[in-house]
């Protein structure tokens, strides 16, 4: 049986600030050796060269090493997923997942939060955007489910991944070995890696059958309702965190999910919070949350037809500001207004993650006394 999980959200006051994690450890709320995953937002540009992710990653891992018994090599295996870019009102922060000792846990036979993680086999640059990557991601998701003690895919509510994208170096490597790559545009490869990973999650959970290479980034009817995929230059494997609910492990926390059908769909946000177990009025307000919402995790994507609720927008035609930054700022503002908190996890590039123009939403709530 997996151990129960506690979840804490901490602010990040500058790009290398991990004092929030240090404070939790000093206060006895978290043991460094029990931290099993971190998911956060950094304030960089969110692009291929967003090195704020690497800086934040190093800062948080150094805290884990300095305050625990694990070596730097052992801590390097802890999945820490950073999404770069806090456009608009989004605020840099990190969500800490840690196991709890049995004596500190509220017993419950109700579904409570469980987490499993896994690393895929090495993903070669020529596999990004193709079945090879889809299958490797799917295998890692299944391993993460098993480690979380989840047997029914319906109990999975959030799969956070980090995967490699294409760089000039890896493109050259593939060519030197006589291989081709899906694209030679490194920024486009961010959407490509995320979308391919989303399909891998969907395959693992039985949401879709194994797609063809031709479906990647083209058939937007194929998607996962729980995948949240990010990519970067800092790894060459799929890093997978599976979050769901299981009975009998106890604890205070529970997760639920839904989807936003478009960039303005606050009903999707509230549906995820309700699915996590909070009772809310028909027309909820952030004051109805009572401090029980730990965090929400969203992916967003500009609609391929350039429309939102029948109105045209110019994001896809804007040559000055990439649509990644515009839609992230938009959905971040919508989410912050709904929850009353700008420190929410909103990540862009949601191909094959939720419906076109929308995206998946996961919510973690505290149901403790």
């Amino acid at each position: 049986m997996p151990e129960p999980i506690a979840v804490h959200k901490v602010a990040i006051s500058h790009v290398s600030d991990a004092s929030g994690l240090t404070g939790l450890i000093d206060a006895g709320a978290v043991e460094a050796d029990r931290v099993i995953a971190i998911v956060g937002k950094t304030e960089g540009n969110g692009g291929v060269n967003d090195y704020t992710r690497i800086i934040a990653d190093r800062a948080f891992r150094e805290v884990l090493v300095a305050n625990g018994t694990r070596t730097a090599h052992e801590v390097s295996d802890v999945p820490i997923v950073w999404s770069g870019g806090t456009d608009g009102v989004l605020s840099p922060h990190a969500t800490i997942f840690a196991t709890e000792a049995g004596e500190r846990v509220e017993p419950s036979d109700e579904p409570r939060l469980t987490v499993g993680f896994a690393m895929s086999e090495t993903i070669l640059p020529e596999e990004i955007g193709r079945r090879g990557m889809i299958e490797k991601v799917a295998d890692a998701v299944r391993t993460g489910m098993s480690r979380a003690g989840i047997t029914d895919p319906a109990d999975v509510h959030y799969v956070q991944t980090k995967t490699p994208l294409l760089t000039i170096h890896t493109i050259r490597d593939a060519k030197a070995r006589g291989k081709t790559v899906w694209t030679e545009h490194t920024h486009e490869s961010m959407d490509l890696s995320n979308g391919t990973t989303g399909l891998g999650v969907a395959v693992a959970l039985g949401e879709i059958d194994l797609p063809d290479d031709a479906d990647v980034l083209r058939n937007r009817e194929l998607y996962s309702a729980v995948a949240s995929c990010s990519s970067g230059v800092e790894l060459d494997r799929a890093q997978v965190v599976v979050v769901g609910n299981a009975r009998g492990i106890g604890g205070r926390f529970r997760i639920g999910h839904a989807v936003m059908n478009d960039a303005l769909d606050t009903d999707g946000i509230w549906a995820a919070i309700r699915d996590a177990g909070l009772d809310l009025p028909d027309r909820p307000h952030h004051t109805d949350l009572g401090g029980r919402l730990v965090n929400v995790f969203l992916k967003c994507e500009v609609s391929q037809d350039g429309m939102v609720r029948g109105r045209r927008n110019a994001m896809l035609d804007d040559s000055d500001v990439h649509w990644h930054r515009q839609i992230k700022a938009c959905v971040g503002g919508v989410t912050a207004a709904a929850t009353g908190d700008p420190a929410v996890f909103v990540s862009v590039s949601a191909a094959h993650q939720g419906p076109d123009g929308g995206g998946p939403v996961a919510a973690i709530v505290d149901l403790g006394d």
Side-chain angles (χ1 to χ4, degrees), residues 305-339:
D305 63 5
M307 304 287 285
V308 175
R309 302 201 178 181
R311 298 290 190 180
R312 182 178 72 89
N313 64 75
M315 283 186 281
L316 290 173
D317 293 323
D318 194 327
S319 298
D320 295 315
V321 181
H322 195 275
W323 66 263
H324 275 193
R325 309 200 73 166
Q326 297 189 49
I327 193 66
K328 190 190 307 176
C330 168
V331 175
V334 169
T335 307
T339 64

Side-chain angles (χ1 to χ4, degrees), residues 37-280:
I38 299 173
V39 178
K41 291 292 299 181
T42 66
E43 60 205 74
N45 61 22
V48 174
N49 66 335
D50 183 352
Y51 298 108
T52 65
R53 297 182 298 232
I54 298 175
I55 295 170
D57 190 87
R58 177 178 298 175
F60 275 74
R61 292 188 193 278
E62 287 176 350
V63 169
L64 294 180
V65 172
N67 291 274
T69 63
R70 291 182 288 190
T71 65
H73 177 71
E74 290 170 330
V75 166
S76 70
D77 288 333
V78 176
I80 300 182
V81 179
W82 297 107
S83 170
T86 48
D87 302 84
V89 300
L90 288 172
S91 184
H93 68 279
T95 304
I96 316 295
F97 296 83
T99 60
E100 286 200 295
E103 63 271 14
R104 299 180 56 172
V105 174
E106 295 182 14
S108 176
D109 290 328
E110 294 298 312
R112 289 294 183 265
L113 192 73
T114 182
V115 176
F117 61 91
M119 297 289 285
S120 77
E121 296 180 26
T122 298
I123 295 172
L124 301 174
E126 61 266 25
E127 292 178 318
I128 298 175
R130 294 166 177 156
R131 269 191 169 188
M133 183 175 183
I134 293 172
E135 292 173 330
K136 287 181 178 179
V137 168
D139 287 342
V141 172
R142 295 184 188 106
T143 300
M145 281 181 60
S146 176
R147 290 174 176 171
I150 297 174
T151 57
D152 186 350
D155 291 325
V156 176
H157 295 274
Y158 176 46
V159 180
Q160 178 64 59
T161 68
K162 189 77 174 189
T163 51
L165 44 70
L166 291 169
T167 66
I168 295 300
H169 173 74
T170 58
I171 292 170
R172 287 175 179 169
D173 171 69
K175 288 183 174 181
R177 292 182 288 103
K179 305 296 183 180
T180 64
V181 293
W182 199 94
T183 179
E184 295 190 23
H185 297 284
T186 57
H187 197 275
E188 182 185 33
S189 77
M190 180 180 296
D191 297 330
L192 178 66
S193 180
N194 292 356
T196 310
T197 306
L199 291 172
V201 174
V203 167
L205 301 180
E207 295 172 286
I208 63 170
D209 295 327
L210 182 65
D212 295 324
D213 288 352
D215 290 319
V216 178
L217 290 194
R218 295 185 178 93
N219 185 353
R220 298 301 181 105
E221 293 183 2
L222 302 179
Y223 65 81
S224 170
V226 299
S228 176
C229 306
S230 184
S231 53
V233 299
E234 60 267 37
L235 73 174
D236 61 3
R237 297 183 290 168
Q239 183 174 263
V240 176
V241 181
V242 177
V243 188
N245 295 315
R247 294 181 181 272
I249 63 174
R252 303 171 61 96
F253 302 93
R254 184 171 168 175
I255 188 169
H257 81 277
V259 296
M260 291 179 74
N261 289 305
D262 60 36
L264 304 178
D265 186 15
T266 54
D267 287 342
I269 299 171
W270 292 117
I273 297 171
R274 286 190 177 96
D275 191 51
L278 284 192
D279 291 327
L280 296 169

